[in-house]
């Protein structure tokens, strides 16, 4: 079946460090892939997305590339800030009429000054 | 901007009580969703609705029901709350007309069942 696996947290980094959060997926066909972010006390917000192989989604300095050959969609940022501290969820959308999102378990990122 | 609101941020109920969680969106979205979020499990889909009066079971519908009498409102009902339903509940909406497959989430309701 369809599933998403992302690295367990928490990930603790110092400000300005490089961030990678790994995400791999299993799906039939060609799903769309998403990263959502949840700041403390808030709901989820879409961070970025990619709808086909080799697409790169980017937003707020974060990037992720849809890699079909490795079934991955790793999230990266070159220089994290304290304000990036949040829980990050990788998700895939599988399709047809259902359009349901399947989420990974979430990765907590804590950035220290 | 799309706005999805949920009736309560925090709720405390007792075992056996009937609980209503309300979700309202203001963008005329056809599709609405209820998820629960638990540590180590991510988000799991409880129920969703394609449009008014329509509902479909998600991955974990047991112990829950839903109501969609108006397009903007999607209610999640716990007929007889149990302690294992203590969780964060998130509502989301989307429109297939947008063509971007993006779901917009509310702020969540943290429910504690004692």
């Amino acid at each position: 079946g369809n599933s998403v696996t992302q690295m367990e947290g928490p990930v603790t980094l110092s400000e300005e460090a490089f961030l990678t959060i790994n995400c791999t997926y299993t799906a039939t066909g060609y799903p769309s892939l998403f990263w959502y972010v949840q700041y403390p006390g808030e709901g989820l917000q879409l961070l970025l997305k990619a709808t086909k192989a080799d697409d790169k989604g980017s937003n707020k300095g974060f990037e992720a590339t849809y890699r079909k050959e490795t079934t991955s969609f790793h999230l990266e940022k070159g220089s994290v800030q304290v304000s990036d501290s949040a829980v990050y969820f990788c998700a895939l959308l599988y399709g047809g009429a259902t359009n349901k999102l399947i989420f990974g378990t979430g990765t907590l990122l804590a950035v220290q000054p | 901007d799309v706005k999805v609101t949920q009736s309560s941020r925090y709720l405390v109920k007792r075992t056996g009580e009937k609980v209503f969680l309300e979700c309202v969106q203001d963008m005329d979205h056809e599709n609405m969703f209820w998820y629960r979020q638990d540590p180590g499990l991510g988000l799991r889909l409880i129920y969703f609705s394609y449009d008014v009066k329509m509902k479909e079971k998600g991955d974990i519908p047991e112990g829950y029901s839903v109501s969609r009498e108006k397009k903007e409102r999607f209610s999640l009902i716990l007929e007889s709350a149990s302690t294992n339903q203590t969780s964060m509940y998130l509502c989301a909406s989307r429109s297939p007309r947008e063509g971007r497959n993006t779901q917009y989430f509310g702020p969540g309701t943290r429910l504690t069942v004692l």
Side-chain angles (χ1 to χ4, degrees):
Chain A
N2 301 306
S3 66
V4 174
T5 302
Q6 62 182 104
M7 62 190 290
E8 288 190 26
V11 174
T12 304
L13 296 174
S14 297
E15 211 165 17
E16 299 183 4
F18 185 86
L19 168 71
T20 300
I21 300 178
N22 290 337
C23 172
T24 57
Y25 67 90
T26 302
T28 52
Y30 302 97
S32 295
L33 300 173
F34 302 80
W35 277 101
Y36 279 84
V37 59
Q38 184 179 35
Y39 297 105
E42 298 184 14
L44 273 68
Q45 302 173 25
L46 178 65
L47 181 60
L48 54 84
K49 69 175 194 176
T51 56
K52 61 183 188 297
D54 300 324
D55 266 4
K56 178 186 281 188
S58 60
N59 187 24
K60 299 181 181 179
F62 291 89
E63 292 183 341
T65 301
Y66 188 159
R67 301 279 188 208
K68 182 169 173 289
E69 64 276 12
T70 54
T71 62
S72 65
F73 193 54
H74 305 321
L75 183 68
E76 296 181 335
K77 186 174 186 182
S79 176
V80 293
Q81 305 300 312
V82 172
S83 57
D84 293 326
S85 298
V87 181
Y88 292 82
F89 291 92
C90 185
L92 72 82
L93 180 78
Y94 67 97
T98 57
N99 271 295
K100 292 196 287 186
L101 280 171
I102 293 179
F103 287 87
T105 54
T107 302
L108 173 63
L109 170 65
V111 181
Q112 298 174 339
Chain B
D1 280 352
V2 176
K3 192 165 184 187
V4 180
T5 57
Q6 295 183 227
S7 50
S8 306
R9 293 298 300 272
Y10 300 94
L11 207 53
V12 179
K13 296 291 182 181
R14 296 203 174 275
T15 301
E17 280 193 77
K18 189 169 186 175
V19 182
F20 293 87
L21 302 182
E22 305 286 347
C23 175
V24 177
Q25 49 91 6
D26 66 357
M27 283 301 292
D28 201 36
H29 283 175
E30 290 84 356
N31 306 158
M32 297 187 74
F33 306 82
W34 274 107
Y35 296 88
R36 62 177 283 175
Q37 179 184 1
D38 299 288
L41 297 176
L43 275 74
R44 293 178 292 166
L45 182 64
I46 304 171
Y47 266 96
F48 61 104
S49 169
Y50 288 123
D51 212 327
V52 180
K53 307 274 189 191
M54 298 173 70
K55 59 185 178 184
E56 295 282 341
K57 293 180 179 179
D59 299 318
I60 51 163
E62 296 78 19
Y64 303 94
S65 62
V66 290
S67 173
R68 183 105 183 263
E69 295 298 316
K70 293 186 177 181
K71 193 173 188 179
E72 66 271 19
R73 186 180 298 270
F74 191 35
S75 303
L76 180 70
I77 303 156
L78 288 66
E79 293 289 340
S80 177
S82 63
T83 54
N84 63 12
Q85 293 178 309
T86 292
S87 186
M88 170 73 89
Y89 290 88
L90 293 166
C91 174
S93 74
R94 70 174 285 271
S95 173
R97 290 176 284 124
E98 286 188 7
R100 290 184 295 165
N101 290 319
T102 300
Q103 291 187 17
Y104 297 88
F105 283 81
T109 296
R110 185 166 293 283
L111 172 67
T112 301
V113 182
L114 302 176

